[in-house]
Each structure stands twice: as C-alpha cells, then as structure tokens.
Amino acid sequence: MSAQLDLRCRCGAVRGTVSNAAPQSANRVVCYCDDCQAFMHRLGRADLLDAHGGTDIVQVAPSSLSFVQGQDKIAGVRLTPKGLFRWHTTCCNTPVGNTLTPSVPFVGIVAQAFDGGASRADEAFGNPIGAIQGKYAVGEAPKGSTGLNLALIARAIGKVLGWRLRGKAWPHPFFKRETGEPIYPLTVLSQQQRDALRPLCGPHPAAPAAGRT
C-alpha cells in the first residue's frame, strides 16, 4: 500500500514529502563510493555513514518529492564540474537529495532524512536490495558490494526509464522546467577542495571525520 512519507532536516527547518512511497516505487541501495563519503565529510555529517562508510540511499521519481517548508535553506554542491548535484540544507547540513541533470530523472534521498529515520524508510520501501562500490568501503568490503551486480543495474535503469516515460521527471524538486537550471544556489568544489576530502574516505581513511563547510 502506497503512502506519503515526510522528510525533515536535523533541525526541522526544512520539510518535504514523498508521495507514493512503496517498495515498487523506489530503488534502495547502499553506496560505498568515495564521492558519497566525501560529500558527507564536506557537510560534517559523517554520522550518516555506516560503519564501512556506506550511504543508505532511496531513489525516487523527481515528481514524487516536494518541499513544503524551508526552501530558502536548500543549496547544492558538485564535487567536480561534471559530478552529481548533491543537495543539502544550509541550516544543519542535512543531505536532501542527489541528482544528475533532469534528463536522467531520479532523486537519491539518504534514508536518515526521512521523518523517523532509516527505520521509517524500512517500513515504506523495504530494506536495501543491494550495495555498490564496495571497493571504497572503509575496512573490509561488505559482502556483495563489489563486482558487477547486473540485476541491480537493470532495476535502476528500468526505474529511471519508467519514470521518464510516465512523465514523472516533472515537476522536479531541484530544477526549473523552463530552463533546466538549478532552482537553488550551487557550489562547485575546486580541485584543491576535492582533494582535501580524499584522506577522509576509502578503505583506510587517514583522519577521523571532521566538519567541513
């Protein structure tokens, strides 16, 4: 049974909703890539990573996510000029969505951003169906997170194509339909800023988690 699921940032200033929240309407995976780790360290939110540096992500159709409060406290960052758009709040540095351009319609939401946390995401979407990029995991890579998971890839592609064909790319919570430009302020890290995050990530991080803004 589908339902509406609320989002809220850590301090409660930014709130949103995901409609049609159900296992069949989403794709949920744990990503161990060093970019996801770097983003959390950039925000000073390494507390949202699991013990191996994984990020629990629920991918939904763009049109299913809308913000109802605190839009003036949303901003984006790209770790590189062509990297993912990674959206977060400026009030308490809570990640609220990862996207590519609107032509690839999906929004990846960190499970802990849902009101009620990851346990509420479990109820609405079911448990993660797989893990990816385990070669970047901290310590020993979790089972099944390395190698090529064709079933997981096929499911993700199928979801994105389905959302596009069914018109679920718009309205988009982060981009303007008329121009395709971001709605919110965006920062692109310099090479120096990106490189400064690398020692914090990967199999053998050289430093403990630290807040970076």
Side-chain angles (χ1 to χ4, degrees):
M1 181 178 179
S2 63
Q4 177 176 294
L5 190 59
D6 295 333
L7 279 78
R8 68 184 301 277
C9 67
R10 180 168 55 178
C11 72
V14 177
R15 294 179 181 270
T17 63
V18 169
S19 61
N20 192 32
Q24 64 270 23
S25 68
N27 191 43
R28 187 178 181 187
V29 300
V30 179
C31 181
Y32 292 96
C33 81
D34 57 346
D35 279 349
C36 282
Q37 293 181 51
F39 176 52
M40 293 303 184
H41 286 292
R42 169 77 180 178
L43 296 181
R45 295 304 311 274
D47 60 297
L48 297 177
L49 299 171
D50 70 19
H52 295 281
T55 303
D56 185 351
I57 299 172
V58 179
Q59 295 177 332
V60 300
S63 65
S64 68
L65 171 61
S66 60
F67 292 99
V68 298
Q69 177 182 303
Q71 290 93 328
D72 61 323
K73 296 178 176 64
I74 296 175
V77 64
R78 301 182 87 176
L79 301 181
T80 64
K82 295 184 179 181
L84 282 178
F85 295 84
R86 297 175 183 271
W87 307 98
H88 62 92
T89 68
T90 58
C91 47
C92 59
N93 287 343
T94 298
V96 291
N98 295 335
T99 67
L100 288 171
T101 64
S103 62
V104 185
F106 75 89
V107 178
I109 304 170
V110 175
Q112 295 95 324
F114 290 106
D115 198 359
S119 60
R120 184 67 185 92
D122 292 343
E123 296 173 7
F125 301 107
N127 296 326
I129 60 173
I132 59 175
Q133 298 294 322
K135 65 180 180 180
Y136 296 107
V138 175
E140 184 178 354
K143 184 178 179 180
S145 65
T146 59
L148 195 62
N149 189 325
L150 295 178
L152 198 60
I153 293 172
R155 177 182 170 87
I157 293 173
K159 288 293 182 188
V160 170
L161 287 177
W163 292 332
R164 186 171 185 175
L165 292 173
R166 295 196 300 273
K168 294 183 179 294
W170 302 101
H172 201 294
F174 300 110
F175 294 96
K176 302 174 185 177
R177 185 165 193 169
E178 298 79 9
T179 63
E181 296 177 346
I183 295 172
Y184 303 108
L186 181 67
T187 298
V188 179
L189 297 192
S190 67
Q191 186 65 55
Q192 183 179 18
Q193 289 173 314
R194 177 65 185 93
D195 288 344
L197 296 168
R198 295 189 188 281
L200 301 172
C201 310
H204 306 289
R212 292 173 180 263
T213 56

